Structure formats: C-alpha cells, structure tokens
Amino acid sequence: MVVCLKRTAVPGLLAGLMILMLAGCAGLKSRERYSEFIMVDVFASESNAPGLQSGWFGKIVKDKFNMELNVIAPNAVEDGDSLFQTRVASGSVGDLLICNVGGGILKQLADAGLILDMEEWLDDDSSVMKYRSAVERFSRLAGREGIYAVPTELSENSPTTPAVGLEPNYGPYLRWDIYEKIGCPPVEDLEDLLSVLKQMQEAYPVTEQGEPVYALSLFGDWDRNMMTFARNVACFYGYDEVGMALLSSDSGEIQNPAEKDSVYRRGIDFLYQANQMGLIDPDSPTQNYETVYRKTQNGQVLFAFWSWFGQQAYNTPGNTAEGKGFKMVPIQDMEISVNGCQPGGSSEMAVMIGSQAEDPARLADFIDWLYSPEGIMASQASGPSDACGPEGLTWEMKESGPALTEFGRQALGGEMVSVPAEWGGGIWQEGVCAFNVTFVQTVDTNPETGVPYMYTLWESARNERTLLDERWTAVTGADNAMEYLETQDMLVAAPGDSYASGKEDYQITTIRSQCADCLTDYSWKMVFAGDEETYAALAQTMTQNLENLKFDLLFTYDSRQAEEKYRERQNMIHE
C-alpha cells in the first residue's frame, strides 16, 4: 500500500521517490483502498437503462471505488415482476439491490438470506447514519436486528414541505408554443382538453424534419397495479394509488379503480376518446420509455403527464430561447396532488447489499457515498428539477453563490452535449446515473453550499428567465407552476409519511398479481377499442374477470392500508 507522507525534504533518490508518491496520492487514494477491480450487478427496479453504467457517472464510480456497475432493469424487459421472483428463487437478486421492498418483501429477502446486515460498515459519522432513526425504523421491517436496508427519498425537511421545486411532478404539460399558436384557449375540464389537443395537432401535424406529430405517445414500462397513464389522470385530481386503491390526498376518500365512476376510469375514458380522435401515437402499445422520450426530444409529442418528462426532453436552452417548450396549461377543475418531504424516507423503495456480493464493505461505502452531498449531486443529476451534478463540470461556486457553468446549462437543459474527456467523455445523457432513484430529496439543503441540491431553486437560476418563461408568465400571471397552483387553490399537499404495510399473505399476493395483470391488460384494450360497443364490452369483461379473481378481497385489504396511510398523514400534520 502506498502511504501519503507529508515530509518534504528527503535527500537523493528517496526524495525523487517521495515526490512521485506525493503527486499520485490524491489520484490513487481510492485505488489504494480498493486495489482489486470488481464488477457489481445492480438490481434497479426503477431503471430504464440496463447494462453497463457508462459515461461520466460510470467514471466517477470507477475512479472512487474501482468498480463498474452492471444494471439489471426489470422495467426494460417484458415481465419485470417475474424477473425479480426468478432471481429470488435462484438465490441471488444482485450484489446491490435498489428496489421496492414493500408488502413484506424486505422480510422475505432477509429470511431467505439474500441481503446482508450492513451495520458493521456504517460508522456513526457516516452520511447514511445522519438519518439513523429513519434507517433503523425501515430496517425493522426485515424482522431482525441490524441495518438491512436504507430507505430512499430521505429528507431533513418537515412533512408539510412540498418535495418538489417550482413544478409539481404530475400535471398537464403541453407544448406552449403550439398552444399559443391556437390562441391559448381556456381548458375548463379534462374532456375540454381533448379539443385543445386536437387543435394543436392539426396546427402542427409534422415536425420540421417531416416526422408525424401526436398529442400523446404512451408506453407500458411502468405499469404495475394499473395502467400508468390512466392512473396519472387521477393525480391531476388529488388521488394516488395505494396498492389497488385510489386515495384522495385531501379528503381521504378511497375509490375502486375498476368502478365506472372512478377517477381511474375517467382516465381510461379520456385516453379512449383521445385515440378515437387520432391523438394517440399508434405505436404506443408496443414502444418503451426510451422511444417515447426520443420522440418527445424530436418534437413529435405535444402533451406530457409529468413536468420533468417533457421539459427534460424538449426544453433545451436553444428551444426555450425561441419560446418553444413544455409548460403547464391549467385545467380549471384540476386539483394537483404533491407529496410532502418524508423525514422517514420512502415506505417502499430501499437500497440493500446482496448476500452474494464479492466485497460488501466496498458496497456499503458506495451506498454511504450515494447519501453524501457529492453522491447526491452526481447520482440525482439529469435535467430540470434534478440535482446540480458534479462541481467543476455542471456548476461552480461564485461569490454570490453556486451557478451553472455553460456546460451545465446545456447538459441539464437537455442539449445533446459532449462531456469533456477528463470527465469520461460521451454524451451527457448517456452518462446519467441509471438507477432513476431519489436517495435524498433535492429540495433539501446541501450543507456544503447552503442552498438546495435542486439547481432550479438557486437564485442564480431563478434570475435566468427565458423567452418561454416570459410568455408563460404573460398569460398565467405567475412566475412558476407551483406559484400558480397555490394562488389558484389548485394544489393539495399530502404530508410526507413513511407508512409501510406489513407482509402480505400468499393469497393476497397471488390475487394482486392476477388482478394487476387483468386491470392493466383490459385498460390498454379499452383505450384502443374500435368503438363504443367494443369499449363497453371490454369494460364488462374486465369487471367480471376481476370479480372471478376475487378483486373484492384485494380491494378491501388495500383500502385498509389506504385508511392507515391517511391517518398517518393527518398525524404528521398535528405532530
């Protein structure tokens, strides 16, 4: 092992050797500690990018830990849920697991000896143990002493602090420049949005490159209990899913998504009508996230259900300077739900070390780094509303505070920019961390800079308004979407909770799998039904099949979980 010595005056040859050693100390520090290279299999349930982690983030990991990451992404395969169970049965899910462990899965993994207790490798002054109470609370779900999992989405903010920056996660985001082109007609309700989208598509039927343009382009990668895009409509009206139940963040009302008058069925109806009007990309049933993202980048999509999706893909500095890009177009009857910060972290998503890991101590160090300021900035940087990226590459500290570099403006703004060779080369987006997970909320304050990790909240960034921003403000009277929603009383903030359901019995788990397949399958069929008669017949068949699969037992079970979650949220308000 090379030891970095501070002595500076050594005669002769020894002096020359010492100079060489000193020069290499900083660069060799991690390699001294991790002299043997390892390849790490990472089972990342939220990832959309399987394979070797490349580019600038891959280089950071290689330089610091002398290892490379092979990402296993169930989102990218046809039956991702089965992939997890197959790997569990094989005795090795991965060296590192970053996945959903709700519903008793954490205990299942611990009981099967598939994950390790990492307590011996986490010191009291480590980054992870800054959140000791949340980590220990979550690990108790493993049913044994020790630290078996570190929850994601940790925060030091209060539960009533929104876990978003200037934009809600969900919302009706449209190509504002095309919306302006048709005169910015008001949108009274969800159904009225269809006529607006129709006008926009007619006004901009093909891109400048001659590619067809559709109002909506869908993918099924993220379908779990329900069809994601129909569920997203529920989020426009203050609901989110708790298993197979839909919970109102405001009133605590619980809806059955299979019922005709549910907000989920309203979402299916909306998508069906959109398809009947020729507004949905016909490739939707067979394409994936990456394809839709690429089409959005190319200007072929006019509507996004998430603020970050359309803006990250299309709102490049070049486009926004011309007044082009995605902005929220308010629907007058909407009530957007946003979650508060979670001091206890996520109740489901966590990071674990697999029992077959070659070097668990190194992986514990890596996990600890992911929760450090440097790790948060690097692993959670991608585009708008994300973390700021590595210092010296995407941002720099100035007298007035942190500010993006020109490279940072382009890269985080969605431009296809090349990364300098010393940072790993390649295209910025290709080097983004593939995990697709928030370890610590980016609205939290970075103790090293005194400002949030989310760069759009920096004073320097908020002072840089584009032509697109100014045009949007001229119509809405607000500086940003969150300000508009708050002033128009269109926002419901659900207190951040860490409610975790217990282990499901085998019957419920089996029913859940079968009902999720049925509900999702028929939702897609209904959206693409040829006519009203077929649509109604499919809806009836879905209802009957769900009844045969004992959906009522599952909904009753999940309704109890939703009730308990709502009670915990209310308790958080009064604590």
Side-chain angles (χ1 to χ4, degrees), residues 278-442:
L279 300 177
I280 296 185
D281 182 350
D283 294 336
S284 293
T286 57
Q287 64 191 1
N288 61 14
Y289 167 90
E290 296 292 340
T291 304
V292 176
Y293 187 87
R294 187 166 57 251
K295 287 181 176 180
T296 307
Q297 278 183 313
N298 295 340
Q300 294 178 255
V301 182
L302 302 176
F303 180 89
F305 286 91
W306 303 281
S307 61
W308 54 268
F309 187 87
Q311 294 186 341
Q312 181 173 308
Y314 192 78
N315 288 24
T316 63
N319 283 335
T320 56
E322 296 177 8
K324 295 160 60 177
F326 283 83
K327 281 287 191 177
M328 186 188 73
V329 173
I331 303 172
Q332 295 307 308
D333 71 338
M334 72 183 183
E335 193 175 46
I336 300 287
S337 177
V338 297
N339 290 327
C341 291
Q342 298 168 285
S346 168
S347 60
E348 297 180 333
M349 192 69 57
V351 187
M352 297 144 284
I353 297 175
S355 58
Q356 303 300 310
E358 180 180 347
D359 190 346
R362 193 184 318 190
L363 294 188
D365 285 348
F366 176 59
I367 292 171
D368 194 59
W369 176 77
L370 289 171
Y371 287 81
S372 72
E374 182 185 49
I376 295 165
M377 289 187 288
S379 68
Q380 297 176 202
S382 178
S385 298
D386 290 327
C388 53
E391 183 178 7
L393 178 62
T394 53
W395 68 278
E396 58 191 359
M397 183 60 74
K398 297 187 174 181
E399 286 186 11
S400 58
L404 295 182
T405 61
E406 184 56 35
F407 175 86
R409 289 188 189 90
Q410 294 175 330
L412 296 171
E415 297 276 9
M416 298 295 286
V417 291
S418 296
V419 176
E422 62 268 28
W423 285 91
I427 302 299
W428 165 263
Q429 283 295 340
E430 294 172 355
V432 164
C433 177
F435 301 157
N436 195 27
V437 164
T438 298
F439 299 102
V440 174
Q441 293 292 354
T442 52

Side-chain angles (χ1 to χ4, degrees), residues 115-156:
I115 54 176
L116 295 176
D117 176 5
M118 63 184 91
E119 187 165 16
E120 65 176 289
W121 302 300
L122 295 173
D123 300 329
D124 288 341
D125 61 351
S126 66
S127 297
V128 163
M129 297 315 286
K130 176 181 180 179
Y131 309 96
R132 175 182 287 276
S133 61
V135 172
E136 292 179 342
R137 179 179 181 271
F138 194 97
S139 286
R140 282 198 289 271
L141 297 173
R144 60 200 64 220
E145 292 295 320
I147 296 176
Y148 284 85
V150 179
T152 59
E153 299 181 29
L154 288 165
S155 176
E156 293 187 286

Side-chain angles (χ1 to χ4, degrees), residues 164-210:
V164 297
L166 306 180
E167 311 276 348
N169 282 330
Y170 299 94
Y173 279 75
L174 280 67
R175 275 282 300 276
W176 186 262
D177 50 308
I178 310 302
Y179 180 62
E180 281 185 315
K181 193 173 182 178
I182 65 168
C184 296
V187 183
E188 297 299 326
D189 53 29
L190 186 66
E191 290 67 33
D192 192 32
L193 178 61
L194 290 169
S195 64
V196 171
L197 291 173
K198 182 68 172 178
Q199 294 175 61
M200 289 174 63
Q201 186 170 304
E202 289 174 345
Y204 187 63
V206 295
T207 68
E208 288 77 2
Q209 292 73 38

